[in-house]
Amino acid sequence: MADALSSDLTKVDPSEAWKPWKPASGEWNRKWVSHLYRRAGFGATPAETDKAIADGLSKTLAHFMTGDPDAADRLELLTETGKYYTEPVNLRVWWLYAMTEGGHPLREKLALFWHNHFATSYAKVRSTKLMYEQNVTIRKHALGTFRPFLLDMSKDTAMLVWLDSNRNVKGAPNENYAREVMELFSLGVGNYTEKDIQEAARALTGWHHDAEVQKFEFNRELHDDGNKTIFGKTGKWSGEDVVRLCCDQGACAKFLVSKLYAFLVSETPPPKALVAPLADQFRKSDYDTAALVKTILGSRLFFSEHAYHKRVKWPVECALGAVRSATGERVPLADVVDPLSKMGQALFAPPNVKGWRTGTDWLNSATLLARNNFAEKVAVGDWSRNGRGRPPQQFGFVAEPTKIDEPKPVDTASAPAPEAKHDVCTTIFAANPKDVAAVVTQMSTLLYGEAAAPAQVKKLETFLLTPGPTAGAAPVAPKGPKPKSKGPTPPETKSADGTKTKSEPEPKPKKAEPPKPLDPKDVKLDSPEFKARVREAYHAMMCLPEYQLN
Amino acid sequence: MSTRRDFLKTTLGASSLLAVGGVVPEFLASTARAAEKEDKKKDTILVVIELTGGNDGLNTVAPYGDDLYHKARPTLAFGKKEVQKLDDYHGLHPRMNELKRLYDEKRLAVIQGVGYPNPDRSHFESMDIWQLADPKRGHTSGWLARSIPGMSVRDAGVPGMYLGNERLPVAIQGADGGVISLADRASFKLQLTGNQANRKALIEDLNGEKDTGKADLAAFVRKRQLQTYTSLKKIDDALREAGGSGQGRTNEFVGGRVVQRDPDDLNTLSGKLGLVGRLIQKGLGTRIYYVQLGGFDTHSGQAEMHAKLLGELSTSIGNFFNGLQAEHSERVAVMTYSEFGRRVKENGSRGTDHGSGSCMFLAGSQVVGGLVGKHPSLSDLTDGDIKYHTDFRRVYATLLDDWLEVDSRGVLDDKFEKLPLIDRKKKAPAGSGPSKSNNPLPPGALPDDPTAPGAGAPPVKEDVPPPVEK
């Protein structure tokens, strides 16, 4: 067996990095299965994890490459049904359905990548039909080869609308598409000149959509058929030639590989030499995306700490991952659409042609709050029933702030349990945990694919063992100190003791001291109170980097 | 490329502070405040006030020295004695004494003759044009939303915030996750069922866990999580301090009459600006605040309504700056705009109809005060409307480049000639600045009732046509 990869990324031998990983016995475990499923798909259900462990890495990876045996049938069905949606929200649900139920998660994952790469928005295109058609084109090429893909996208009607192609005419070229095809779609900044763009725009003149905005149409009248010089080559270049010339540039493979690396491996920019072998492979294969992806996903580097948790989950990954890992049954995907846009990723509506700002840019107070709130929905099983929406939230500026925060005296036990099919507890208790520790283990396995850090485990156990405040003891004055607030002293001694002895905060009106953790023996694992706390703890665990990172 | 790395580096630079152990939002808040002191130069803030309905520019900045004005406005024109005189020709509406004060302190720019080619007189269409900053309406996201991706925002700040209970204005639509609406408090509220306090404590506790000292991604996420709760708390606190009776609905017309609300009422402009002020002083990272004042569609009986509205506008802006501590005041600029102006000639109902071209205000310590551009001629009209001479996108471009430090070209698709509106080196003029005498007032409080007849301003004329004065 080869030596372990250096922990210093700059010292990792590129020729070793991309060799297939050969896990030693026991190394192919939940942690790495979950990792693979998060990156190659949208997270694993418990059953999928079990199966993958039994199958081993190479069989699992092969399965990702082809999808389920009936994936082709499902694709046909999906493609047919997608035609009929006229509302963006429905189209979004349709795609989410394709991601979770299409039988080919890797294809959908790459489709998501390419959607961001060829970022086109309904906001300007204003047609679900065109957005659907572009999505079908993307799906078709997602794991195909790049040249025909780029050509199809260059003639895609939604794209033509999006980048004003009809304004690009002989004598008055509009450079919008010519610029983006080089800057964003194939080469990246610094690999072309302004002159290249001007000339390419001329070559693309007349690449229009028809008057009905239904399909591509070559307008010969408005095409400039003179000589153009692009990348130093002169000829009567056409739009097809622009695509070909871009793909012939050495920068093309490097550019695409670096984007795929960030998407599949890590958002830490790699040393150039590290990705050079991938770019070589991509170029030599004439842009065989599937082969490249397979190399990456099977590699030693992919299954190393250089990749593990080195990306911030995209909102789609965050939402679907939570859904898949936690709930045995399908949830109403329509419930996912709105949270996704609050998290900053409304499908079919990236903010501009550069696509979403990914990485740490996904997280600000508003988007992270949306992640927290979606996690709550998952944890408490708060889904609309049978697809029927719930009444809209109260709306209004005058929200009586004081009332908002005053926690209502909560009787956890009486909170209605979610429907069993959407209850995280169903999944968590499926393995019949014997004690509180086993419950915590089960939760972290489901969510993280591995055990939580020991210090976290301890806090979670304490939380699970501590009965909620009774109806009278609940509200802490909104402005008052947090019940837990304790000095920065011993981080270990959580819970009641510290609070009581130490800071005994503001003189609170004769409140009883906070409840203490019960003896584990006294906790009934199947009681509604305990399960309510499990759901709460589950939510808290989704608000940690262990869940937010991919 | 390097921006993200740098960003990560700077954001995490202070994260070793978290190593102290316990997680105390207050502690974070104070580091945020400290950081803010250093960064305040960079963190400029733009407060946009939309005057909905088409504000009558001609009676906002009245060319009282022009006979044609009096001829065209037999019942509505203001005379020499009424206006808040800016010079021998221009005067602000009589009720705008606070804006006059800002003008005298060289903190108010009055931008005249603003518009765009082929003006549209439909409220909806024209509002879209202003808010998309695109007369062709090719864009579907607003100009402020488009500026957000290029904007730097401290900590976990939300770049843009809308305060109000209407649909999110087009200007800030399309910045998913970059804009929150404080009308929909539910959307910016942590949803926790069960034992909220305990769970929040647990989440903070878990995220305050172990700082490895490494500036890694996990530490970043933890910090963001805690900052998010801090932001929530700041917003909640600011709302709580708002006081306000919390009664009442949206705007202030009932049966054609203006109903004045409690000044702290969050449904009023002064209440909203008061809240904005508190949020700014709490160090929330937000760079753009957007509020509206409705009711400017004054087709009949304009005098009274317009006076109330402009009085409210002026007083609210004045109080807003008075309530800000100097160091915050320096980084705030307030811009007003409306979808169009109104016809030069008043109509038969003592009102005015939809016109084009109008004026904008820009207020702030680092604003170059004074009149910007000429008053459009009243003898050279198009279809009874004044001719604009300054494209509104020049104002936007100036604010983007010189104030918010966002490349205007990327937002507006074109290069617009800038206006001399901003001077980042400007000091508040001696003897003025955030007036100390007014400071003890709690933010949002009104020093006097702007609607009380004659409160600091000449009474509004009702029926008698003014004598034409020169």
Side-chain angles (χ1 to χ4, degrees):
Chain A
M1 195 192 143
D3 296 334
L5 296 177
S6 167
S7 62
D8 178 351
L9 197 57
T10 58
K11 296 205 179 105
V12 170
D13 178 355
S15 65
E16 285 297 321
W18 305 110
K19 283 186 179 160
W21 185 47
K22 308 273 185 225
S25 163
E27 275 186 326
W28 177 241
N29 55 20
R30 283 180 190 280
K31 169 178 169 173
W32 293 115
V33 169
S34 305
H35 173 67
L36 177 62
Y37 267 80
R38 285 196 302 265
R39 299 292 177 87
F42 302 91
T45 63
E48 283 169 340
T49 312
D50 291 340
K51 182 167 188 307
I53 289 178
D55 284 350
L57 169 58
S58 64
K59 195 170 167 194
T60 304
L61 191 54
H63 185 221
F64 265 112
M65 299 312 300
T66 58
D68 289 347
D70 64 349
D73 293 345
R74 293 191 195 201
L75 177 60
E76 199 179 320
L77 200 65
L78 272 169
T79 309
E80 182 56 28
T81 53
K83 284 177 191 163
Y84 303 103
Y85 299 121
T86 53
E87 290 298 322
V89 60
N90 296 331
L91 199 61
R92 289 175 177 138
V93 173
W94 170 79
W95 194 5
L96 292 171
Y97 184 84
M99 291 173 187
T100 51
E101 307 292 338
H104 202 332
L106 180 62
R107 180 194 68 209
E108 297 304 319
K109 194 65 179 278
L110 266 292
L112 183 61
F113 168 80
W114 293 117
H115 174 45
N116 189 49
H117 182 79
F118 290 111
T120 305
S121 173
Y122 174 84
K124 178 168 175 183
V125 176
R126 291 280 150 189
S127 159
T128 48
K129 176 178 175 283
L130 298 186
M131 294 309 296
Y132 157 80
E133 286 169 1
Q134 184 187 73
N135 192 254
V136 169
T137 302
I138 287 174
R139 184 171 288 104
K140 173 178 156 200
H141 294 290
L143 285 167
T145 54
F146 188 69
R147 280 178 192 271
F149 192 4
L150 185 59
L151 185 58
D152 277 1
M153 289 310 283
S154 303
K155 293 180 169 185
D156 175 72
T157 318
M159 183 64 82
L160 295 167
V161 175
W162 177 237
L163 294 181
D164 310 312
S165 296
N166 276 33
R167 294 203 204 156
N168 189 19
V169 296
K170 181 178 181 176
N174 179 309
E175 295 169 7
N176 206 355
Y177 190 76
R179 178 177 302 278
E180 304 313 1
V181 78
M182 292 185 193
E183 179 184 332
L184 299 174
F185 300 160
S186 69
L187 301 176
V189 174
N191 295 305
Y192 51 85
T193 64
E194 287 299 307
K195 185 76 183 154
D196 290 330
I197 288 175
Q198 291 160 13
E199 296 285 279
R202 287 178 57 216
L204 285 158
T205 47
W207 277 38
H208 290 182
H209 55 72
D210 61 359
E212 292 75 34
V213 200
Q214 296 288 314
K215 58 179 194 304
F216 172 80
E217 188 176 80
F218 179 58
N219 191 327
R220 196 171 299 279
E221 302 286 291
L222 298 176
H223 177 67
D224 178 345
D225 59 2
N227 270 333
K228 301 107 187 168
T229 303
I230 303 172
F231 307 134
K233 298 189 179 70
T234 306
K236 293 186 186 303
W237 304 131
S238 64
E240 279 88 352
D241 291 319
V242 173
V243 170
R244 177 177 56 78
L245 290 166
C246 285
C247 291
D248 286 349
Q249 292 295 99
C252 183
K254 287 182 196 149
F255 176 68
L256 295 172
V257 160
S258 73
K259 280 190 86 169
L260 270 165
Y261 179 92
F263 185 68
L264 293 172
V265 183
S266 165
E267 280 161 352
T268 310
K272 277 205 182 90
L274 186 66
V275 285
L278 294 179
D280 277 353
Q281 172 190 341
F282 201 32
R283 197 165 157 68
K284 283 185 188 139
S285 69
D286 205 21
Y287 302 107
D288 180 340
T289 306
L292 175 69
V293 167
K294 191 172 184 195
T295 300
I296 293 173
L297 294 179
S299 70
R300 297 183 62 199
L301 191 82
F302 179 78
F303 290 102
S304 79
E305 300 304 324
H306 295 299
Y308 192 73
H309 281 181
K310 287 295 184 287
R311 293 178 60 235
V312 176
K313 272 183 188 164
W314 288 19
V316 169
E317 296 173 309
C318 180
L320 295 186
V323 165
R324 288 176 61 73
S325 64
T327 60
E329 282 274 335
R330 281 143 215 181
V331 300
L333 290 169
D335 283 14
V336 180
V337 170
D338 184 49
L340 273 181
S341 87
K342 290 198 171 104
M343 294 180 211
Q345 194 174 29
L347 292 173
F348 298 106
N352 53 48
V353 66
K354 284 201 183 77
W356 287 286
R357 300 212 303 174
T358 58
T360 51
D361 285 337
W362 283 122
L363 305 177
N364 65 34
S365 294
T367 53
L368 195 52
L369 179 70
R371 287 182 186 224
N372 277 209
N373 286 344
F374 181 75
E376 168 78 4
K377 191 184 184 76
V378 172
V380 304
D382 180 28
W383 303 97
S384 57
R385 319 244 150 164
N386 306 320
R388 245 176 296 136
R390 65 195 62 256
Q393 303 265 18
Q394 289 143 304
F395 204 75
F397 198 48
V398 189
E400 293 121 312
T402 34
K403 273 188 210 155
I404 280 183
D405 251 29
E406 225 164 77
K408 272 179 275 167
V410 181
D411 181 3
T412 336
S414 71
E419 280 180 89
K421 64 175 181 174
H422 295 154
D423 186 359
V424 294
C425 283
T426 308
T427 321
I428 295 166
F429 287 85
N432 244 329
K434 290 286 174 288
D435 54 23
V436 172
V439 170
V440 172
T441 307
Q442 181 62 13
M443 289 196 292
S444 60
T445 306
L446 283 172
L447 277 177
Y448 309 154
E450 60 177 336
Q456 289 183 3
V457 169
K458 197 161 174 186
K459 289 172 183 174
L460 289 164
E461 287 179 3
T462 308
F463 179 83
L464 289 174
L465 289 170
T466 310
T470 56
V476 176
K479 280 196 158 175
K482 303 271 175 309
K484 56 91 222 199
S485 68
K486 53 196 75 215
T489 19
E492 290 307 43
T493 50
K494 285 299 118 193
S495 88
D497 315 324
T499 321
K500 203 185 88 185
T501 51
K502 270 254 153 66
S503 25
E504 186 51 47
E506 313 293 318
K508 256 187 284 159
K510 59 172 187 220
K511 266 308 146 231
E513 65 221 57
K516 293 185 179 172
L518 300 171
D519 190 292
K521 297 194 299 290
D522 300 332
V523 171
K524 284 214 201 71
L525 293 191
D526 56 357
S527 69
E529 295 85 349
F530 184 75
K531 287 195 169 170
R533 286 203 294 279
V534 167
R535 292 184 199 105
E536 294 187 14
Y538 201 73
H539 168 258
M541 291 173 78
M542 273 190 270
C543 301
L544 294 178
E546 283 80 350
Y547 185 74
Q548 300 299 337
L549 295 181
N550 203 342
Chain B
M1 275 303 250
S2 70
T3 12
R4 178 174 304 158
R5 256 198 318 268
D6 294 346
F7 176 59
L8 197 61
K9 218 164 65 192
T10 50
T11 338
L12 292 172
S15 73
S16 54
L17 290 171
L18 282 178
V20 184
V23 182
V24 190
E26 265 70 22
F27 160 71
L28 274 175
S30 66
T31 57
R33 278 193 292 276
E36 174 194 317
K37 286 225 170 82
E38 292 163 27
D39 289 359
K40 67 170 192 256
K41 286 276 175 217
K42 290 183 225 144
D43 285 355
T44 51
I45 291 166
L46 178 64
V47 180
V48 176
I49 306 178
E50 173 195 312
L51 308 178
T52 318
N55 177 37
D56 180 18
L58 219 50
N59 268 14
T60 305
V61 183
Y64 74 94
D66 193 329
D67 286 341
L68 292 171
Y69 168 63
H70 297 280
K71 210 172 276 172
R73 300 273 175 107
T75 75
L76 293 175
F78 296 117
K80 190 181 186 174
K81 299 231 171 74
E82 296 167 299
V83 292
Q84 303 275 352
K85 261 206 223 167
L86 301 183
D87 57 25
D88 290 343
Y89 184 87
H90 305 85
L92 293 179
H93 187 284
R95 282 291 174 83
M96 302 216 286
N97 43 324
E98 281 293 297
L99 287 187
K100 170 70 162 60
R101 177 176 65 82
L102 291 176
Y103 183 87
D104 291 342
E105 293 170 0
K106 306 246 179 295
R107 292 199 283 157
L108 180 76
V110 179
I111 312 157
Q112 312 202 74
V114 189
Y116 57 89
N118 306 314
D120 200 306
R121 286 173 187 78
S122 142
H123 291 294
F124 180 77
E125 303 293 321
S126 193
M127 222 19 143
D128 270 8
I129 289 168
W130 274 84
Q131 299 200 26
L132 297 170
D134 181 4
K136 289 187 191 123
R137 275 170 291 168
H139 283 282
T140 49
S141 58
W143 74 282
L144 292 168
R146 297 202 300 276
S147 74
I148 280 172
M151 199 178 288
S152 74
V153 180
R154 187 167 29 81
D155 294 341
V158 183
M161 188 183 293
Y162 166 64
L163 294 91
N165 48 15
E166 306 285 330
R167 194 164 155 261
L168 199 64
V170 171
I172 44 175
Q173 262 178 33
D176 283 325
V179 169
I180 61 168
S181 165
L182 263 200
D184 184 0
R185 284 213 67 220
S187 73
F188 202 66
K189 179 168 153 36
L190 189 61
Q191 282 153 20
L192 293 178
T193 52
N195 302 311
Q196 306 189 14
N198 289 9
R199 183 126 50 101
K200 195 152 166 281
L202 175 68
I203 293 169
E204 286 172 341
D205 194 10
L206 288 168
N207 275 295
E209 188 68 46
K210 67 165 182 193
D211 187 331
T212 55
K214 283 189 295 181
D216 62 2
L217 216 43
F220 170 84
V221 176
R222 271 186 215 108
K223 185 167 184 220
R224 272 285 183 269
Q225 179 73 42
L226 298 174
Q227 285 169 331
T228 296
Y229 285 3
T230 309
S231 297
L232 280 167
K233 188 173 182 306
K234 285 177 182 169
I235 289 174
D236 266 0
D237 287 351
L239 277 166
R240 202 171 287 117
E241 290 159 17
S245 62
Q247 299 304 307
R249 312 178 81 80
T250 50
N251 239 319
E252 30 291 292
F253 283 96
V254 179
R257 301 200 60 90
V258 184
V259 176
Q260 181 63 30
R261 308 257 179 225
D262 173 351
D264 262 358
D265 184 334
L266 293 178
N267 290 302
T268 64
L269 183 65
S270 58
K272 286 171 192 172
L273 289 183
L275 180 58
V276 169
R278 279 185 289 279
L279 291 168
I280 289 171
Q281 304 208 137
K282 283 177 192 300
L284 204 74
T286 299
R287 306 277 311 271
I288 295 172
Y289 292 93
Y290 194 102
V291 297
Q292 294 155 316
L293 179 63
F296 284 90
D297 198 15
T298 48
H299 286 281
S300 64
Q302 171 172 314
E304 187 194 8
M305 279 189 263
H306 203 226
K308 301 260 185 192
L309 290 168
L310 291 185
E312 183 176 5
L313 178 70
S314 168
T315 314
S316 304
I317 293 175
N319 286 342
F320 172 67
F321 280 109
N322 287 345
L324 285 177
Q325 293 148 10
E327 84 234 46
H328 294 291
S329 178
E330 263 178 25
R331 51 193 193 102
V332 179
V334 174
M335 179 193 101
T336 72
Y337 80 100
S338 190
E339 67 266 44
F340 42 62
R342 307 189 78 83
R343 285 270 147 80
V344 172
K345 219 167 140 40
E346 68 178 64
N347 63 22
S349 330
R350 295 192 175 136
T352 51
D353 297 320
H354 301 184
S356 71
S358 193
C359 56
M360 295 173 75
F361 292 123
L362 186 68
S365 308
Q366 300 200 328
V367 166
V368 178
L371 286 164
V372 181
K374 278 204 175 108
H375 197 288
S377 161
L378 296 184
S379 60
D380 179 19
L381 306 178
T382 309
D383 299 339
D385 282 335
I386 55 160
K387 284 182 176 158
Y388 85 99
H389 51 68
T390 298
D391 192 301
F392 69 92
R393 288 168 295 176
R394 292 180 61 193
V395 180
Y396 289 3
T398 309
L399 289 170
L400 288 167
D401 287 327
D402 295 356
W403 187 245
L404 295 170
E405 296 180 352
V406 176
D407 176 25
S408 66
R409 212 170 176 161
V411 173
L412 303 172
D413 298 335
D414 218 334
K415 200 156 181 61
F416 287 91
E417 193 194 339
K418 288 192 279 187
L419 295 161
L421 294 173
I422 301 289
D423 178 3
R424 297 295 295 279
K425 300 214 174 69
K426 189 178 155 202
K427 298 268 177 263
S432 63
S435 55
K436 282 130 219 148
S437 58
N438 276 339
N439 259 350
L441 283 169
L446 293 173
D448 54 11
D449 179 2
T451 60
V460 177
K461 73 163 43 52
E462 297 289 338
D463 287 322
V464 197
V468 177
E469 310 174 76
K470 214 139 181 210

